Amino acid sequence: MSTMLQIGASALHSTNRAMATASHNVANVATEGFSRQRVEFNSAGSNMVGSVAVGRGVEAGHPQRIYDQYVTEQLRNIGSEKAYLEVIATQGEQLDGIFGTADSGLQAALESFYNAASDVSNDPTSAAARAVFVEQSDLLTMRFNTVEDQLQGVERVAQGQISKTVAEINKITESLVDVNGMIKVARQGDGSARADLLDQRDKLLSDLSDKMNINAYENEDQTVNVYLKQGQSVVMGVRRSVFEESIDRETGQQSVDIMFNNARHTIGDVITRGELGGLLEGANEMITQTRNTLGRTAMGLGDAMNTMHRQGIDLSGNAGQDLFSFAGPDVKGAGDNAGTAAVTAVIDDFSQLTAEDYAMTYNAASSDWTIKNTTTDATVTAAGPSISLDGFTLTTSGAPADGDIFYVRPSRDGIVSFASEISNGSELAAASKIRADSSNVNAGDGNIEVVKITDGNNVSLTDPVTIQFDDPPSTFSVLDSSGGVIAAAQAYTPEATIAFNGWEVKIENTPASGDTFEVIPNNNGSGDNMVMRQIAALRDTELFVNGTQSATDAYTSLVGSIGTQANIASINLEAKEVAYTSLQDRRDSISGVNLDEEAADLIRLQQAYMAASRVISTSQRMFDSLIQML
Amino acid sequence: MRFATSMLNRTMLTSMNRQNERIFNLQTQLSTGQKFHTATDNPIDFASTLDLDHAQKRVDQYKRNIDSLTQRMGLQESTMGSITDNVKRIRELSIQAGNPSYDMTNRKAISTELRERMREIVDLGNTQDANGEYIFAGFTSDDTPFSMNQVGDLFHVEYNGTDHSREIQVSESRTMPVGLVGKDVFFDISGENSVRTDAAQANTGSAAFSTAFVDDDTAYIADDYTLTFTSPTSLSITDGAGGAVGTYPYTSGEIIEFNGLKMSFTGNPDVSDSFSVRTSQYQDIFTTVNQLTEALEDPSQPAASLAIDLSKSLGHVTEALDHVVDQRAQIGSRLKALESHQETNEELSFQIQSRYSKLNDTDFAEAASDLAQQTAILQAAQLTFSKVQNLSLFNYIQ
């Protein structure tokens, strides 16, 4: 009887525990990261009654969670990818918003500007056309400047998100360390940690891998260690690294440092996935690419137009001034440079210029500089004081110390500094500085034409020059305004280029001896449009990328590139979401709670409980009838 | 497979989410008529639409350029028409002047009309367009291209414009000048036995040629002559080789004759001011008229010599008429070329637009039928969800 009572009690106790566990499962049906738990029943063995073995009842184990380590790890990895892609897609969409459509974006401003230039070229004497050009120049620069404002907006948001993410990472690792500590302490009878603590641990790991790509290893005591890709420790049992935002000294780019045991490491380039990976890539690559490409476009266009405009004269007969102004390359030394060196940079050739940034490091041993393209990581080693590469020239001065770094960003300030310099339509130098005319009394049918101005800044450009054909007219002399000979007996070839003083002209047909042609200042040449026609033709002039891209091409390919990055990210994201969902399904099919199952369990356990109660009441009745017999 | 309660929710939610997204997408397509709006939606096609838009704007600009050019050339064409009429009339008059029954009074009347015609030609040469630009002036379009100086019965017309007029882009590879310049129209007219005159740059006096032409073909010795004033009232002439031709007295506006040439100066020369007369293949229309009126109004001219002079002048006038007609035809052919450029542009514009709409226009039939399908699927999903959601064993535990 006492055995029966004991057996009944063990059954009551065990079913009670199992029912509590089932209830726990039901209660946590909607809890994220929860793994269903199960209580194992085991026979409690038997006692020998004489030579007969009689069972002792049942024993219930500790609640165990049902889970699959492999699926959990895979979920973490895909979660990390997913978070990364989400950030990239969002960043791309934000940048897309800046570009706008063909009707509203920067391209529209460029088109309107070219149209205004063409209209001035059609009607160089029209004050209205000139006024529209001045207005469109202003609008164009404003549009570029607005893009910078918007980029800064995107950048600020990204910056804020990086700070937030870093703070979250620190919070998660702190919790992980806590949970690790609890796991160490809270061992159960069977040596395993409590199921809910392990769930909590796994949830933290999954949160952490949403933020960045990590590797997690479970120790024997079921605590975890977390490492980054190249083995940097994030969490070691109950110790952890602290994350901090930083600037990568090697590249000058946005980065993250970790501090472990008082040692600081820059690890931005190791974090390539998760939210933080996406944010760093967005800030360092997509935003930089956009700003630099547009900056280069603004500067290259401005430079080409200024060069052309300086070849012209305005309505008052004054030489054309710069149409646009813009800042030169941005060069900054690292804050901890030990030497006294200074570096300046000048752009020589926009067609060679990349849309990338550079970092130059001094090597004292070889007294030279290593210049690294921070996007492609390609390096060039050269000694100062003058180093030319990729369309710009660096000039070093002063005494650098070993390891001193300068960050060179050639087109970074292009769009922010782009400004229109012309405020009055009459200052537009639509006409060429010079023109070429044949003398009204020429006997032959020779015809002269200006081919182009090769050097708008040549001091002698507008000096009047006379080309006089000799007798016989197979040669000609070039004379200055006072009849002085600049060049004598030049052989005449029809349509051959004749170049002096920064201009090129050509003469065709058959001049007679004594015929003269003049290259003279284009005074009162208000009906000429040579300069403005060239400026309008910049619409399709391939100024960039080794002369393969016009400003519009560069813009279109930038929009395409950013769009593609965002588009690929969203396509991949969709694929990852499908994979993630199916993994979640797998995980849930193993660890998830099924309410029907739990209900069935409860019914089953309830019946078991009732039966066990009946065992106890039976044993009591047996005891009662024994007592009555007495 | 074991099935967790959460899986049911997730599967349903995911699929309904996806349907919602598709429906939203289709709705946007249908309401805007465009397949995509940003580069993210479809980067390759979006970039293509940017390219197409750029091409469209460029073609539009060429169309505008051509329109403005056509307008300008139209004005030149009609002006050239009036000029041609005047030159035709000059030719009629020079034929009429040969009438042997005409006496000096008739000839004087003809001369008067000839001068009138010439004045009109100069006026036409100084035509301005709506913007106030002189259409025959070339680059210096704000300045009167032709200046006229009448000395006695002779005219001296000078062209102050430039050799070229500005060029307008009419297609990617082609520019076209906005029109003819005065020099081409009135000065570079071929003519046998023609001369051109020039003043030395170093001249300090006010004397200037009023005209110079070959009067007597048989007496004319083609050479480059230099005329140097030896005093304010006399000049000496040397030929190209430096040989002396002779010394002549000078009076402003009086004709000087030598070696078959006739010329006259006006103004007050300084001593050692020099001028040159050179053989040329061109004679301008104004010299031709001078030559004509000079022959008609010379009272001492015998009839035979007048007939020779008139036939020579007629030759020059005919050349001038041919030239002017030819120049006008040039404008006509340029206008024709512009028209064909414009047609090409229209065609291009059409192609660009049709490519654009192929890329980005919503296929309404397809989108509408897709929308109906997606909506049906979503409704089915919602219905299933509510049905399945009601199934639970807990419903039966009392």
Side-chain angles (χ1 to χ4, degrees):
Chain A
M1 274 175 314
S2 70
T3 320
M4 259 179 88
L5 202 60
Q6 270 166 12
I7 292 173
S10 81
L12 268 188
H13 181 71
S14 299
T15 15
N16 202 0
R17 183 183 279 186
M19 283 175 83
T21 304
S23 309
H24 186 57
N25 286 343
V26 171
N28 283 296
V29 67
T31 306
E32 207 189 326
F34 178 79
S35 308
R36 71 189 162 105
Q37 296 175 8
R38 209 168 51 188
V39 173
E40 292 279 351
F41 290 96
N42 284 310
S43 159
S46 54
N47 287 333
M48 292 304 287
V49 179
S51 59
V52 183
V54 177
R56 263 204 306 246
V58 65
E59 266 176 13
H62 293 286
Q64 299 292 332
R65 60 186 191 135
I66 315 289
Y67 82 109
D68 184 322
Q69 184 66 35
Y70 175 71
V71 173
T72 311
E73 267 173 34
Q74 265 191 319
L75 257 180
R76 272 210 303 268
N77 288 341
I78 292 191
S80 191
E81 290 269 345
K82 210 165 72 88
Y84 160 79
L85 292 168
E86 260 163 21
V87 171
I88 294 292
T90 313
Q91 293 253 353
E93 270 163 30
Q94 278 175 337
L95 291 173
D96 247 11
I98 293 178
F99 299 139
T101 63
D103 297 328
S104 66
L106 189 53
Q107 190 180 343
L110 272 171
E111 299 293 354
S112 306
F113 173 78
Y114 292 130
N115 285 355
S118 289
D119 287 349
V120 174
S121 159
N122 285 347
D123 249 332
T125 58
S126 155
R130 285 169 177 260
V132 169
F133 180 90
V134 170
E135 197 181 314
Q136 288 298 341
S137 311
D138 268 345
L139 286 177
L140 179 65
T141 56
M142 254 163 57
R143 188 65 228 177
F144 269 112
N145 302 156
T146 309
V147 169
E148 172 68 24
D149 288 348
Q150 289 169 316
L151 275 179
Q152 278 179 6
V154 176
E155 221 171 19
R156 256 198 308 276
V157 172
Q159 200 78 51
Q161 276 177 314
I162 291 176
S163 308
K164 212 178 97 214
T165 310
V166 165
E168 278 169 353
I169 289 173
N170 283 331
K171 216 177 278 168
I172 294 168
T173 54
E174 195 182 355
S175 306
L176 249 184
V177 164
D178 285 350
V179 171
N180 267 346
M182 286 193 274
I183 287 172
K184 237 179 183 160
V185 177
R187 313 287 282 171
Q188 307 187 125
D190 61 356
S192 72
R194 293 212 301 258
D196 294 290
L197 270 180
L198 293 177
D199 271 354
Q200 206 182 334
R201 184 201 69 187
D202 286 350
K203 174 77 175 48
L204 285 169
L205 283 177
S206 131
D207 287 350
L208 189 58
S209 62
D210 280 352
K211 306 293 170 203
M212 58 187 185
N213 44 328
I214 52 166
N215 294 325
Y217 298 98
E218 187 176 76
N219 296 315
E220 237 171 282
D221 60 3
Q222 288 181 306
T223 60
V224 283
N225 289 351
V226 179
Y227 305 96
L228 293 177
K229 196 161 74 183
Q230 291 172 359
Q232 297 90 340
S233 311
V234 177
V235 169
M236 295 279 277
V238 293
R239 290 181 305 151
R240 67 182 181 115
S241 302
V242 176
F243 282 68
E244 245 177 46
E245 287 168 77
S246 70
I247 298 292
D248 189 342
R249 189 178 184 278
E250 295 289 308
T251 59
Q253 291 179 333
Q254 199 58 236
S255 187
V256 171
D257 283 358
I258 51 170
M259 281 176 306
F260 195 76
N261 284 345
N262 291 327
R264 181 183 277 272
H265 302 281
T266 301
I267 43 116
D269 50 346
V270 183
I271 297 175
T272 51
R273 286 291 175 269
E275 247 171 77
L276 190 55
L279 288 167
L280 287 175
E281 185 178 318
N284 289 333
E285 288 170 32
M286 294 169 90
I287 295 177
T288 303
Q289 183 196 3
T290 305
R291 174 179 284 128
N292 286 0
T293 308
L294 295 179
R296 183 184 62 183
T297 306
M299 294 162 94
L301 272 181
D303 179 68
M305 287 192 221
N306 287 346
T307 307
M308 288 170 180
H309 200 244
R310 277 187 234 113
Q311 300 177 356
I313 50 167
D314 66 15
L315 284 183
S316 332
N318 297 321
Q321 303 300 309
D322 282 351
L323 277 180
F324 295 101
S325 62
F326 46 86
D330 173 59
V331 184
K332 279 196 182 68
D336 57 357
N337 280 355
T340 60
V343 176
T344 57
V346 178
I347 296 169
D348 319 308
D349 182 357
F350 282 96
S351 74
Q352 300 292 319
L353 197 67
T354 67
E356 285 137 20
D357 291 340
Y358 300 80
M360 56 190 293
T361 316
Y362 188 66
N363 323 307
S366 46
S367 321
D368 56 15
W369 296 85
T370 302
I371 300 132
K372 185 168 107 169
N373 178 323
T374 56
T375 303
T376 63
D377 286 343
T379 59
V380 168
T381 303
S386 179
I387 303 165
S388 292
L389 73 155
D390 293 358
F392 62 96
T393 299
L394 297 160
T395 308
T396 62
S397 59
D402 190 45
D404 278 4
I405 286 190
F406 288 87
Y407 310 115
V408 183
R409 300 164 176 122
S411 46
R412 183 190 171 81
D413 293 337
I415 49 174
V416 65
S417 62
F418 197 56
S420 167
E421 286 297 299
I422 235 136
S423 52
N424 190 335
S426 67
E427 290 166 17
L428 272 183
S432 162
K433 266 185 182 169
I434 54 155
R435 66 167 179 258
D437 283 328
S438 57
S439 161
N440 281 345
V441 297
N442 277 357
D445 61 356
N447 192 3
I448 189 167
E449 197 182 327
V450 176
V451 177
K452 63 178 172 207
I453 294 177
T454 49
D455 177 10
N457 298 322
N458 191 307
V459 286
S460 317
L461 181 68
T462 54
D463 290 355
V465 166
T466 303
I467 296 170
Q468 185 165 41
F469 278 78
D470 302 328
D471 190 10
S474 58
T475 59
F476 61 84
S477 308
V478 181
L479 312 171
D480 64 21
S481 55
S482 50
V485 175
I486 298 174
Q490 305 283 305
Y492 171 65
T493 315
E495 296 196 49
T497 302
I498 302 167
F500 288 94
N501 296 352
W503 43 254
E504 280 179 12
V505 299
K506 65 178 182 187
I507 297 175
E508 53 184 18
N509 299 338
T510 328
S513 74
D515 280 2
T516 58
F517 299 87
E518 296 176 303
V519 180
I520 51 172
N522 196 4
N523 292 335
N524 302 326
S526 47
D528 185 14
N529 66 353
M530 191 191 89
V531 168
M532 211 34 86
R533 194 173 71 240
Q534 286 179 349
I535 287 178
L538 279 178
R539 190 197 285 263
D540 291 296
T541 307
E542 286 162 338
L543 295 171
F544 305 105
V545 195
N546 298 318
T548 59
Q549 287 189 354
S550 68
T552 311
D553 294 339
Y555 180 72
T556 311
S557 83
L558 172 71
V559 173
S561 156
I562 297 288
T564 305
Q565 288 179 53
N567 181 258
I568 290 180
S570 13
I571 290 171
N572 286 345
L573 184 60
E574 229 165 273
K576 290 290 171 203
E577 258 160 8
V578 171
Y580 191 78
T581 311
S582 93
L583 267 176
Q584 262 184 329
D585 284 349
R586 254 185 82 191
R587 181 196 172 276
D588 282 3
S589 121
I590 298 162
S591 307
V593 177
N594 181 325
L595 286 178
D596 285 341
E597 184 182 317
E598 300 302 330
D601 263 1
L602 278 175
I603 293 168
R604 183 172 56 87
L605 289 166
Q606 191 190 16
Q607 286 169 349
Y609 191 87
M610 276 160 56
S613 310
R614 193 50 62 93
V615 170
I616 291 173
S617 65
T618 307
S619 118
Q620 192 190 1
R621 264 203 300 279
M622 282 167 71
F623 185 72
D624 281 352
S625 33
L626 258 183
I627 292 291
Q628 279 168 10
M629 282 168 69
L630 288 177
Chain B
M1 189 166 90
R2 186 178 169 277
F3 203 82
T5 306
S6 57
M7 288 161 70
L8 177 73
N9 274 335
R10 184 161 51 240
T11 313
M12 284 301 189
L13 274 178
T14 315
S15 94
M16 279 194 284
N17 238 335
R18 199 164 299 151
Q19 299 307 332
N20 267 323
E21 199 183 316
R22 281 185 194 150
I23 288 172
F24 174 75
N25 200 347
L26 286 166
Q27 219 169 21
T28 317
Q29 278 193 36
L30 283 167
S31 62
T32 61
Q34 291 184 336
K35 271 192 227 159
F36 48 82
H37 291 93
T38 62
T40 319
D41 295 343
N42 188 340
I44 294 167
D45 287 354
F46 186 81
S48 301
T49 59
L50 285 186
D51 281 340
L52 286 174
D53 187 75
H54 176 66
Q56 180 65 58
K57 296 257 165 65
R58 181 175 53 210
V59 171
D60 285 349
Q61 185 63 50
Y62 291 149
K63 290 204 298 208
R64 277 159 62 102
N65 291 2
I66 291 174
D67 283 344
S68 110
L69 197 51
T70 308
Q71 216 173 17
R72 244 186 108 90
M73 282 198 174
L75 179 58
Q76 261 208 347
E77 211 269 346
S78 65
T79 312
M80 285 299 286
S82 310
I83 290 169
T84 313
D85 290 346
N86 277 291
V87 178
K88 265 190 194 142
R89 179 65 188 151
I90 290 174
R91 186 162 180 275
E92 275 166 32
L93 288 170
S94 49
I95 293 168
Q96 207 180 325
N99 190 331
S101 68
Y102 275 20
D103 61 7
M104 187 48 98
T105 323
N106 300 118
R107 289 203 290 270
K108 279 235 155 123
I110 288 176
S111 286
T112 311
E113 187 177 351
L114 280 173
R115 276 192 282 273
E116 214 35 63
R117 293 289 161 192
M118 195 153 81
R119 246 186 231 112
E120 197 162 339
I121 288 177
V122 170
D123 274 351
L124 288 167
N126 285 335
T127 302
Q128 285 171 285
D129 67 7
N131 292 333
E133 279 194 279
Y134 290 97
I135 60 175
F136 289 107
F139 292 160
T140 52
S141 59
D142 281 340
D143 302 327
T144 325
F146 293 101
S147 59
M148 189 168 65
N149 181 19
Q150 187 176 4
V151 182
D153 287 334
L154 296 176
F155 280 95
H156 182 65
V157 176
E158 211 162 274
Y159 175 64
N160 306 309
T162 64
D163 280 14
H164 301 281
S165 59
R166 65 169 173 269
E167 309 248 331
I168 303 289
Q169 202 85 34
V170 296
S171 74
E172 220 161 319
S173 55
R174 178 93 196 268
T175 63
M176 216 181 255
V178 290
L180 303 170
V181 296
K183 194 175 188 172
D184 292 338
V185 180
F186 302 115
F187 284 83
D188 290 348
I189 302 170
S190 322
E192 262 176 51
N193 282 347
S194 305
V195 291
R196 288 221 159 151
T197 58
D198 197 10
Q201 272 184 350
N203 286 0
T204 51
S206 65
F209 268 112
S210 61
T211 195
F213 50 82
V214 177
D215 182 55
D216 185 345
D217 282 348
T218 42
Y220 176 57
I221 302 167
D223 204 342
D224 289 352
Y225 298 99
T226 306
L227 292 71
T228 312
F229 283 90
T230 49
S231 81
T233 54
S234 73
L235 50 84
S236 77
I237 299 174
T238 51
D239 61 20
V245 176
T247 305
Y248 297 80
Y250 165 70
T251 314
S252 176
E254 288 293 307
I255 298 279
I256 298 164
E257 277 190 77
F258 69 91
N259 289 6
L261 283 162
K262 268 191 179 177
M263 63 194 66
S264 85
F265 293 91
T266 57
N268 302 314
D270 284 346
V271 173
S272 81
D273 279 0
S274 76
F275 295 84
S276 59
V277 176
R278 302 161 52 222
T279 314
S280 169
Q281 37 181 307
Y282 300 125
Q283 177 162 313
D284 62 77
I285 190 166
F286 311 107
T287 304
T288 301
V289 174
N290 275 337
Q291 193 175 2
L292 201 53
T293 56
E294 170 63 25
L296 287 175
E297 287 175 332
D298 186 350
S300 60
Q301 181 110 284
S305 139
L306 176 65
I308 293 172
D309 279 1
L310 285 181
S311 96
K312 188 153 67 89
S313 296
L314 185 62
H316 281 301
V317 171
T318 308
E319 284 276 5
L321 182 60
D322 288 351
H323 183 78
V324 171
V325 167
D326 179 61
Q327 293 281 308
R328 187 183 176 191
Q330 239 185 59
I331 295 216
S333 66
R334 280 190 209 165
L335 279 167
K336 194 115 206 150
L338 282 182
E339 212 169 288
S340 97
H341 271 299
Q342 198 67 312
E343 271 163 29
T344 315
N345 283 335
E346 296 288 355
E347 212 165 285
L348 210 62
S349 185
F350 178 75
Q351 276 172 17
I352 290 168
Q353 261 156 19
S354 67
R355 271 177 62 199
Y356 193 98
S357 56
K358 215 174 263 173
L359 277 179
N360 198 16
D361 279 5
T362 305
D363 180 340
F364 279 95
E366 193 186 318
S369 89
D370 280 359
L371 183 64
Q373 196 186 352
Q374 298 294 344
T375 318
I377 295 174
L378 180 61
Q379 275 169 347
Q382 284 167 339
L383 197 67
T384 330
F385 187 52
S386 67
K387 282 250 153 82
V388 175
Q389 199 64 323
N390 280 331
L391 297 176
S392 174
L393 191 52
F394 279 105
N395 292 339
Y396 303 100
I397 298 180
Q398 303 292 324

